[in-house]
Amino acid sequence: MPSYIQTTPEEQLLETTRACVELHSKKELLEKFKRASAEKKPLTIKVGFDPSRPDLHLGHTLLLMRMRRFQQFGHKVVFLIGDFTAMIGDPSGKNLTRPALSRDEVSANAETYKKQVFKILDPQQTEVRFNSEWLDALGTEGLVRLASHYSVARMLERDDFKQRFREGRTITLHEFLYPLLQAYDSVVLKADVELGSTDQIFNLLVGRHLMRDHGLVPQVVMTGPILEGIDAHMEEGRLVGDKMSKSLGNYVGIDEPPEQIFGKLMSISDELMWRYFELLSSKNTQELSALKQATLLGEKNPKDAKIELALEMTQRFCGHEAAQKAAEAFERRFSRKEINAESFACKELRLEGVATCSLAKILAQTQLADSASQARRLLEQGGVRVNHNKVSNAKAELEAGEYLIQVGKLKGLRLKLLP
């Protein structure tokens, strides 16, 4: 079995399951690693991607990094583009059906995906497949036979279906087909492991059921966490914040300029830094433990640890030279206390039917201040600028529009205030 890292099945289990949310089951996965090692045959790791969102940010790369860890141990990843199932629309984790896509839309998005994912995945150990290869050929008879493997009662156990049924809202029959078709992908590929996000757990488990029905060893199912955005912070001893999202402006896009990627990551809190290290870094568990211990003992400055994270992420998506230049540019700005507005997160807020909103309230809502009272003090002390102009009126209001808000020398936000 090819492998970049010669290691034991137990060590593979430790690294591939790092920070996973659900695992069905740990015992089965260890047995598969042992079998692969004994037979010198790589496991097949299936991961399905919905090509409805062609632009990726760090939150999307959580899954890609777990795929990459499997590849580092010599296993084969099947990057499955759900071009057929995308035309159905998946309501997983939603209260309403996700809009279906046309063939042309799916194809265009899939090409964009393929260009981006190989910034992380090894192309030599990645097999790109489209599920239309076998689902187009399934036909009416095949679809009816497939539907006979699962009951309506079992389908209604899925949380989103259950809630909509209880509330008397529409569930169309074609939505029941989505989990079955996704499960049939696993049958065709003879997947050993399927990875996904937490809102996909029902669909992934249907895959285990369908593989058993077809006389196959069921796949191991593993789901990962959701990544918090760069504005997440500690509150009462725990990390709180919205998930990373372009619409919320708290994201790091993998196609962004290197200085922007580096600067955004240097703006995160120390607590969030360790979360990002655990979920995103290529460092193994022992390396991360040593780095954190050295920082906690004062042997390493937290800023230097954060630079390591920012460098690793920027290099991953932009290359070594670009990452070094971004680090040098950041250090020049930091040492001269210069500000780079491009590195600031974007945020959208709504006025909710009123003409204006208190600037102090905005500072508190966006975590540029710990509270509205602290925001008012910052304003009175002249520590706040809006569009480069100092604002010292604690009662200042903003109307709908786009603003660059700066607090102090290095903290800020690009704000869209919507009507």
Side-chain angles (χ1 to χ4, degrees), residues 24-25 28-29 32-33 35-36 39 41-46 70 75-76 78 186 189-195 208 211 217-222:
H24 300 268
S25 69
E28 290 177 46
L29 182 56
K32 286 178 183 282
F33 281 138
R35 185 198 74 208
E39 297 177 358
K41 182 181 177 181
L43 298 179
T44 296
I45 315 303
K46 172 201 170 191
F70 276 97
H75 302 296
K76 181 184 74 173
V78 178
S186 296
L189 294 171
K190 296 181 172 60
D192 290 297
V193 181
E194 182 166 14
L195 308 178
R208 283 172 61 87
M211 290 181 79
V217 177
Q219 64 186 11
V220 167
V221 165
M222 189 189 308

Side-chain angles (χ1 to χ4, degrees), residues 69 74 142 147 203 237 290 309 320 352 410 417:
R69 289 190 193 112
N203 295 357
L309 173 69
H320 177 77
E352 305 293 351
L410 298 172
L417 196 54

Side-chain angles (χ1 to χ4, degrees), residues 301-360:
N301 190 309
K303 180 193 167 189
D304 293 333
K306 198 176 295 182
I307 287 173
E308 281 193 39
L309 173 69
L311 266 174
E312 181 183 351
M313 295 300 106
T314 309
Q315 182 171 323
R316 178 178 296 165
F317 305 119
C318 307
H320 177 77
E321 185 177 349
Q324 291 297 326
K325 287 182 178 178
E328 291 165 7
F330 179 86
E331 192 57 38
R332 287 196 299 271
R333 289 194 306 272
F334 186 86
S335 61
R336 294 203 303 257
K337 296 294 188 283
E338 293 178 355
I339 199 143
N340 176 24
E342 289 302 311
S343 68
F344 289 159
C346 297
K347 187 88 173 181
E348 289 186 359
L349 294 177
R350 291 194 174 274
L351 288 171
E352 305 293 351
V354 296
T356 62
C357 183
S358 159
L359 178 55

